[in-house]
Amino acid sequence: MAQEDLFKKLVSHCKEYGYVFQSSEVYDGLSAVYDYGQYGVELKNNIKKYWWDSMVLLYENVVGLDSAIFMHPTIWKASGHVDAFNDPLVDNKDSKKRYRADVLIEDQRAKFEGKIEKEITKAKKRFGEAFNEDQFKETNPRVLANQGKIDELTARFAKAMNDNDLEGLKQIILDYEISCPVSGTKNWTDVRQFNLMFSTEMGSTAEGASKIYLRPETAQGIFVNYLNVQKTGRMKLPFGIAQIGKAFRNEIVARQFIFRMREFEQMEMQYFVRPGEEMKWFKHWKQFRMKWHQSLGFGSENYRFHDHDKLAHYANAATDIEFKYPFGFKEVEGIHSRTDYDLKQHQEYSGKKFQFFDPELNESYTPYVVETSIGVDRMFLQVISASYTEEEIKKENGKTDSRVVLSLPAFLAPVKLAVFPLIKKDGLPDIAREIINELKFDFYCQYDEKDSIGKRYRRHDAIGTPFCVTVDHQTATDRTVTIRHRDTMEQERVKIEDLKRIIGENVSYEKALRSL
Ligand code: GAP
C-alpha cells in the first residue's frame, strides 16, 4: 500500500474507532488541535505509564514532578523563549498561504532523497540478487548528482540557520526554485521571524493584568523547581526529575495529523550531572531511550538517530530519535546536553543560587543537564502506525476474507479483554458479566453481545483488543470458555479461574520494563 494511502487510512481508522477526533469538529474544527476518544485516552495513558515507570520506577535517582502550565513570565525571558523561540516564516503572495521557510527547504531535500530512493528501487529490480546498494550509491551518476545537491543544500541551510540569516534562507528558496504547493508559483515574501509562544493575561483588571505565556515546553517547570526537589528529596548528583504535561506552540505549519499540533503533551526528564560528566550521561540516555522505543517490537530498522548540525543556543550535543512514519523518518524524541545554561539563566534572572554542594569534591557548582524529551502524541502516532495492519485471511471453505487489526503491544492496548456471550439467552450473558465483574479490577474489560461472534472479533481486532473470551453452553456446565488471541486468531479452551493469570502474564508492563 502506498504510504500516503496508509496515512489517510490511519487517520480515518483513528476517528472511526474512537481513538482521535478533530477538536471542535461540530464547529468545523480547530486547526492542529485534537481530542482523544474513549480508546485514544486509554492508549495515551498506557504510553505515559510505560514512560513514567521506565524513568521513575527503574531509576532510583529519578523522581517525578507536576508543575503548573502558567509560570512567571520572567521564566520565559530567562530561558530565551521570548527572544529566540521563533520559526522563520514566508508567505506565498499568490495563494496567501504561510509556510515555515526551513520546512520548505527540508521538503526540497526530501525530494532529492526521494529521487535517490527511486533510482535504488529501479536498480534493485534490474539487478536482482547481484545488486550491491553501497557500490551503486558510490558510482551511479544520477545518484551522485542528487547527493551533491543534498550536500550543498544541507551546508547552505545549516549555515543560514546558524547565522540566523533570513535573507540567506530566502535565497535558498529562490535558488532551488521551490514553489508553493498550492499556487505552484515562486512569488515569495521576505522571510520573517515568528514567535511560537501563545500568550494570555492573568489578573482581573486590564491595568493590573500581566501578560503570561502558555508553556511551550515542560522543561522550564523542572529547572525552576530544581532546588525544591533537590533539597526536599535530599537528592545527590546525578539525579533526574521527570514530568508529563501539556505544552503549547503556535505552529505555523500544522499538518500531518497529531504529528505537529498547537496543543500537545510532552514527557521530559532533566538529568542533573557534574560538569564534565555530561557527555557520559548524554551517551547513556541516548542508548537507553533508543532501547525503550525498540522494546515495543516495531523493528529496529524503523528507528535512527539524527545528530543535529545546528545546535540550539543552550546545547553542546543533541540528537533526535527518528521513527519511520508513513510520511518518512521524523523526530519522535530529542536528547539534548543543555550544559548549565538554563540553571545559570534562572540564577541570574531570579537572583537565587542554583548550586549544588558536592560533598565528594567538597565544592559547589551549577549542575549540567542532560534532557530527554518525547512527545506523547508523536509516540501515539508511532504506536498506531506501526500496529495498523490489513490482512488477507484464508477461510476453511477456501474463500478469502480480510481484516484490519491493530497489533498493539498487549500492555499498551486500551481494552485488554472483550467478553462475549455466544447468544443473548440461556444465562450466558450473566456468566459473561460475572467474568467481567471478577476481572475488571485488573484489566479494562468490555462486554459485547451485538452481532455474530465473527463481527465482534473484527470489531475488537480493529480496536486492538488482545483477547476475546466467548461464553457458550459448555461454560454453564464445566466453567470453561474459549479465549481467542488477536494476532494468531487461535482459540483455546481454558478454565474461567485461569483467565486472570493467562491475561495478566500477557498484558503486564513487567516484561517490557525488564527488557530495558
Ligand atoms: N524541552 C525540549 C524540547 O521541547 P523539542 O525538540 O522542541 O524540545 C521535544 O520538543 C519533543 O516534543 C519533540 O521531539 C516532539 O516529540 C514533541 N513536539 C514538539 N513540538 C510538537 C508539536 N507541535 N506537536 C506535537 N509534538 C511536538
Side-chain angles (χ1 to χ4, degrees), residues 85 216-219 249 251 258-262 264-266 268 270 314 320 331-334 336 338 371 373-378:
F85 194 54
E217 61 171 17
T218 65
R249 294 183 190 177
E251 297 283 359
I258 54 171
F259 183 80
R260 198 176 297 285
M261 300 157 87
R262 296 202 165 107
F264 58 100
E265 210 165 352
Q266 289 185 316
E268 298 200 291
Q270 315 297 130
Y314 49 73
D320 295 336
E331 171 188 350
V332 57
E333 173 158 10
H336 309 122
R338 289 178 79 130
E371 165 188 79
S373 175
I374 169 171
V376 178
D377 313 271
R378 287 193 191 178

Side-chain angles (χ1 to χ4, degrees), residues 251-294:
E251 297 283 359
I252 305 165
V253 186
R255 54 176 188 184
Q256 287 158 335
F257 192 37
I258 54 171
F259 183 80
R260 198 176 297 285
M261 300 157 87
R262 296 202 165 107
E263 174 181 341
F264 58 100
E265 210 165 352
Q266 289 185 316
M267 307 190 277
E268 298 200 291
M269 197 269 312
Q270 315 297 130
Y271 202 66
F272 300 91
V273 305
R274 266 187 197 160
E277 292 190 355
E278 71 274 16
M279 284 309 157
K280 177 177 99 182
W281 289 112
F282 176 73
K283 230 171 121 187
H284 169 87
W285 287 107
K286 194 174 155 175
Q287 274 158 10
F288 179 75
R289 293 303 307 148
M290 181 60 102
K291 204 169 178 193
W292 185 88
H293 285 275
Q294 295 187 350

Side-chain angles (χ1 to χ4, degrees), residues 113-145:
E113 282 167 355
K115 284 185 183 171
I116 294 181
E117 282 300 315
K118 257 194 190 152
E119 292 293 341
I120 293 172
T121 314
K122 265 196 319 200
K124 255 186 199 158
K125 264 196 196 148
R126 204 167 57 234
F127 296 114
E129 290 280 291
F131 181 63
N132 179 331
E133 188 170 324
D134 289 338
Q135 194 187 9
F136 181 77
K137 284 204 251 178
E138 281 163 21
T139 53
N140 181 276
R142 280 183 299 275
V143 170
L144 288 175

Side-chain angles (χ1 to χ4, degrees), residues 310-362:
K310 175 190 188 271
L311 289 175
H313 58 282
Y314 49 73
N316 66 1
T319 195
D320 295 336
I321 294 177
E322 294 187 338
F323 175 72
K324 196 172 182 191
Y325 289 99
F327 40 84
F329 273 103
K330 294 276 177 197
E331 171 188 350
V332 57
E333 173 158 10
I335 296 134
H336 309 122
S337 170
R338 289 178 79 130
T339 66
D340 56 358
Y341 176 83
D342 302 84
L343 289 184
K344 280 220 165 121
Q345 286 292 104
H346 290 306
Q347 200 158 258
E348 191 187 321
Y349 277 76
S350 68
K352 308 271 172 358
K353 282 232 173 303
F354 277 70
Q355 296 224 315
F356 174 74
F357 176 73
D358 191 327
E360 277 174 38
L361 301 180
N362 199 26

Side-chain angles (χ1 to χ4, degrees), residues 4 21 23 35 39 81 97-98 179 212 257 259 261 275 291 398 406 413 457 494 514:
E4 218 169 275
F21 306 126
S23 159
D35 299 334
Y39 297 121
H81 284 82
K97 289 272 172 206
R98 181 160 285 177
S179 53
I212 54 164
F257 192 37
F259 183 80
M261 300 157 87
K291 204 169 178 193
L406 276 189
Y457 282 155
V494 300
R514 278 189 189 278

Side-chain angles (χ1 to χ4, degrees), residues 387-444:
S387 304
Y388 180 92
T389 329
E390 289 178 4
E391 278 180 11
E392 286 272 299
I393 306 162
K394 274 231 149 63
K395 296 212 293 197
E396 276 167 18
N397 62 9
K399 290 189 179 161
T400 55
D401 195 2
S402 66
R403 69 166 184 160
V404 171
V405 53
L406 276 189
S407 301
L408 301 165
F411 68 98
L412 294 183
V415 182
K416 306 296 192 227
L417 168 71
V419 185
F420 311 148
L422 183 64
I423 52 169
K424 287 189 230 171
K425 51 185 188 180
D426 301 339
L428 304 188
D430 295 337
I431 304 176
R433 292 271 181 215
E434 202 185 291
I435 293 173
I436 289 182
N437 282 336
E438 190 51 38
L439 297 181
K440 70 182 177 190
F441 302 99
D442 295 283
F443 319 115
Y444 182 12

